[in-house]
Amino acid sequence: MSEDVEIIVSKGDNSEIEPIFRGVVVGRPTLCAYDETIEKRDIDINRAISLVEEELRDKFESGGNSGNGEIFLAQRELLKSITPERGFKSLDEFKDRINIEISKIEDSSLSSKVMDFKDLEQRVLSRLGINRVLHVPDRKSILIADDILPQDVERIESSNIKGVVLTRGSLTSHSSILLRSLTIPSIILNRDIDIEEKISDEIILDSIRCKLILSPTEEEILEAREMEDRLNLEDRESFQSRFEIAKTQFGKKIKVLANVTDLESAKRAKDFGADGIGLLRTEFMFKEKRPTLDEQTNMYRDILELFDDVTIRTLDIGGDKSLPYISIPEEDNPFLGLRGIRFSLYEKRLFEEQLLAIFKAHSGRHVKIMFPMVSQIDEFTQARDIAKGVADRNNIDISNIEFGVMVEVPSLILAIKIFDKEVDFYSVGTNDLTQYLFAVDRTHDILKINPLSPILISTLRIIRDTAKRPVSICGEIAGVDEAIETLINIGYDRLSVSAKLIPNIKSKIRSM
């Protein structure tokens, strides 16, 4: 081990290091390893794939432990996309296809999906009795790995692994999103390190100050343990006060809402102290089959009964999301094609059914409906006119329903003054906005965008300063610890995040 990696510090000394989730952990260094077992199972490759598809569907519908169920939906769609219509002839053919897909994207803008393909391969192999699971140590540890699979993160959550150090990866990879959502202290080093020799029995991961100490002194260990205990106490206190209003020291009230996918994740958000739902993704209900009007209505009604403040996003289909019963014309670049509101205006009957279900479920409650991927005013007015037409034909009073847009496409920002005359509210989806603003895939392993990029912050400031209607944020940046104060100072008073982050975010706001 070379001296220059004994202590690694970021921000001031090494801007390459990126914190995934902030915290302090003292633990035994553990290199990533897997336990392998083989058991005979009377099952063929295509049945194994079907079982994995069912598993991922169940995880998606339940929201997963992290509340990020859409990750498993994306994986399921990835698996379906590489499976031939008549299935695979053998396990070897399946593994060859996985290797081909990985080789296509290893050095491309889609390279972050390599770990998803490996994850899918292992899930299928496990169904065949070829098990390979992350080794979990019997004492408190810090895992050090090149990168990890999404299923590894699920195993880490309830294990003795209390911190994670990745030598490469992306802040927007599925594994990173899960680590952050499950509040596991973790960082990305973006460099290789040799820790085989001269490493202490205990090391320090301080992802608050972006510091990894491989050979700490007794004094450093004592200081880190005190900070770790203090943070754990703060976490417990934050959780106990999770239902209280989040108000800054200057008396500014901030609503901390949750991003949810279904009824179970909405219930989880309620338990974690969410002030409401800032983003209800509705795709989960449509993935397997076309839901009936009653099925949709009942689901929306159950969720609306949990909160007084609910924002429902209409179907965001297109890009990498499709429906098995709707044929979308093949596109060279689906992320710039029939996606979001464009898809809904193309498939109007499905859109009208969804709107009617929401209207029937709202029962006079105040509800917000927002349309995704709106790029020009005509798209919004056409969608709103369709909604009003649905209400009129069914004699439903929708005077308590507001209509707004997701701010994801840069062209909308240039037309905010026009939109102000028509919309009731805005919700900034910073994930896609960042992607389209910089023309960089947000999961790209090589081309990285600083989540606090002055350009992005300036854009968010322009949106907030220009818009005369209420504006909230429901993208990943709302859950980034160092971004919260900046967003509030700009003027944002509605932040929507993963449910498990809510207690700590509320506590941070109270200390500002």
Side-chain angles (χ1 to χ4, degrees):
M1 181 186 65
S2 59
E3 291 299 320
D4 64 338
V5 297
E6 183 173 333
I7 299 179
I8 303 172
V9 184
S10 184
K11 302 308 176 190
D13 300 79
N14 186 349
S15 59
E16 291 183 351
I17 299 177
E18 300 171 292
I20 299 173
F21 185 79
R22 296 180 179 278
V24 177
V25 181
V26 178
R28 181 180 183 179
T30 300
L31 293 176
C32 186
Y34 292 87
D35 297 320
E36 300 185 15
T37 60
I38 297 178
E39 55 183 290
K40 187 176 181 180
R41 292 186 183 175
D42 187 18
I43 183 174
D44 67 17
I45 179 63
N46 295 304
R47 178 55 181 158
I49 290 173
S50 295
L51 290 173
V52 170
E53 287 183 2
E54 292 175 14
E55 172 193 349
L56 294 171
R57 180 199 63 202
D58 291 343
K59 286 180 178 294
F60 166 60
E61 292 180 348
S62 69
N65 293 340
S66 66
N68 276 288
E70 68 276 7
I71 287 174
F72 304 107
L73 171 63
Q75 285 194 306
R76 185 171 184 271
E77 292 303 308
L78 200 61
L79 180 58
K80 291 173 69 174
S81 72
I82 65 168
T83 303
E85 186 174 344
R86 295 185 179 181
F88 290 99
K89 296 178 181 178
S90 66
L91 172 59
D92 286 341
E93 184 184 8
F94 168 72
K95 294 172 74 173
D96 287 344
R97 180 61 186 272
I98 291 288
N99 288 332
I100 289 171
E101 295 300 324
I102 289 175
S103 66
K104 288 180 183 177
I105 63 174
E106 274 185 310
D107 298 317
S108 76
S109 63
L110 299 175
S111 58
S112 64
K113 287 185 170 58
V114 167
M115 297 307 289
D116 284 306
F117 277 115
K118 292 182 178 180
D119 188 81
L120 290 170
E121 179 181 38
Q122 188 50 55
R123 289 183 190 274
V124 171
L125 290 176
S126 294
R127 293 290 180 173
L128 295 170
I130 306 170
N131 300 302
R132 188 172 183 268
V133 298
L134 181 71
H135 175 74
V136 172
D138 57 6
R139 56 177 285 192
K140 183 179 175 185
S141 300
I142 296 171
L143 179 70
I144 300 175
D146 287 343
D147 203 345
I148 53 176
L149 308 177
Q151 63 184 289
D152 294 337
V153 183
E154 297 178 77
R155 184 165 169 78
I156 287 170
E157 183 190 14
S158 58
S159 75
N160 287 320
I161 296 173
K162 302 303 179 184
V164 176
V165 176
L166 302 179
T167 58
R168 57 181 54 85
S170 164
L171 287 175
T172 52
S173 71
H174 285 164
S175 295
S176 291
I177 291 172
L178 289 170
L179 285 168
R180 185 161 50 250
S181 297
L182 295 171
T183 64
I184 299 170
S186 42
I187 59 174
I188 301 174
L189 291 180
N190 289 311
R191 64 162 68 177
D192 293 320
I193 58 174
D194 179 10
I195 63 169
E196 296 291 346
E197 301 176 358
K198 298 180 182 178
I199 190 167
S200 299
D201 185 54
E202 288 187 310
I203 64 174
I204 298 171
L205 168 61
D206 181 349
S207 55
I208 295 176
R209 292 176 289 187
C210 291
K211 181 184 295 186
L212 174 67
I213 306 180
L214 300 178
S215 298
T217 63
E218 291 184 7
E219 183 178 354
E220 287 171 327
I221 289 177
L222 179 61
E223 179 186 354
R225 280 185 176 147
E226 288 176 349
M227 183 177 293
E228 183 178 9
D229 290 341
R230 185 166 63 252
L231 291 173
N232 289 335
L233 176 60
E234 290 175 359
D235 286 344
R236 291 193 294 272
E237 292 175 344
S238 297
F239 190 76
Q240 290 172 355
S241 61
R242 66 193 184 280
F243 296 116
E244 298 175 12
I245 294 173
K247 185 189 298 185
T248 69
Q249 295 289 310
F250 295 98
K252 183 176 182 179
K253 293 181 181 179
I254 307 297
K255 273 204 166 188
V256 184
L257 309 108
N259 300 332
V260 305
T261 57
D262 57 12
L263 180 58
E264 289 306 309
S265 59
K267 289 179 178 178
R268 188 181 304 112
K270 187 84 171 179
D271 290 339
F272 275 97
D275 295 325
I277 295 175
L279 170 61
L280 170 57
R281 303 178 177 97
T282 58
E283 294 76 39
F284 73 95
M285 200 185 311
F286 292 80
K287 295 308 296 183
E288 292 302 313
K289 64 181 183 65
R290 190 171 186 142
T292 66
L293 180 63
D294 286 343
E295 287 172 337
Q296 288 193 64
T297 302
N298 292 335
M299 179 61 74
Y300 295 134
R301 182 180 292 116
D302 289 342
I303 293 175
L304 289 171
E305 287 176 351
L306 293 174
F307 296 97
D308 295 326
D309 189 342
V310 177
T311 302
I312 302 174
R313 184 181 71 186
T314 57
L315 274 173
D316 187 11
I317 296 299
D320 58 355
K321 292 177 285 188
S322 61
L323 298 177
Y325 47 86
I326 298 292
S327 177
I328 301 177
E330 187 173 339
E331 300 173 296
D332 290 336
N333 192 334
F335 283 95
L336 300 180
L338 282 173
R339 183 184 173 194
I341 195 60
R342 298 169 184 171
F343 169 83
S344 292
L345 295 177
Y346 172 79
E347 188 61 39
K348 290 183 183 178
R349 185 178 173 187
L350 191 68
F351 185 43
E352 290 175 340
E353 287 177 358
Q354 180 177 31
L355 291 167
L356 179 57
I358 297 171
F359 295 162
K360 290 170 70 70
H362 95 288
S363 301
R365 297 182 184 90
H366 178 221
V367 178
K368 296 178 180 178
I369 296 176
M370 63 180 174
F371 306 127
M373 297 302 296
V374 173
S375 60
Q376 50 192 325
I377 193 62
D378 289 349
E379 291 170 337
F380 171 78
T381 55
Q382 187 178 349
R384 186 189 55 191
D385 289 346
I386 290 173
K388 289 182 176 180
V390 169
D392 290 342
R393 289 193 299 274
N394 291 276
N395 297 314
I396 300 176
D397 179 7
I398 59 170
S399 58
N400 282 343
I401 293 182
E402 296 184 16
F403 294 95
V405 293
M406 293 280 289
V407 183
E408 303 168 285
V409 184
S411 62
L412 189 153
I413 301 171
L414 300 176
I416 284 181
K417 291 182 179 180
I418 298 174
F419 275 87
D420 268 338
K421 299 174 183 178
E422 303 290 344
V423 306
D424 295 311
F425 67 93
Y426 302 94
S427 183
V428 185
T430 55
N431 298 355
D432 276 313
L433 176 60
T434 301
Q435 179 170 249
Y436 291 121
L437 189 64
F438 290 92
V440 171
D441 188 312
R442 59 191 174 92
T443 63
H444 202 293
D445 282 340
I446 299 173
L447 302 175
K448 299 180 185 295
I449 304 299
N450 177 358
L452 286 178
S453 161
I455 295 174
L456 177 59
I457 296 302
S458 177
T459 302
L460 295 176
R461 188 184 299 277
I462 290 170
I463 296 169
R464 179 60 277 182
D465 290 347
T466 307
K468 303 305 180 185
R469 301 291 188 174
V471 187
S472 63
I473 286 188
C474 62
E476 282 286 316
I477 194 173
V480 176
D481 193 66
E482 62 185 355
I484 295 171
E485 187 167 2
T486 300
L487 296 175
I488 291 174
N489 287 338
I490 288 174
Y492 289 94
D493 57 8
R494 290 173 60 89
L495 309 177
S496 194
V497 299
S498 297
K500 198 169 182 179
L501 299 176
I502 291 172
N504 285 335
I505 289 178
K506 281 190 169 184
S507 180
K508 180 178 178 62
I509 290 169
R510 296 186 192 109
S511 68
M512 290 179 184

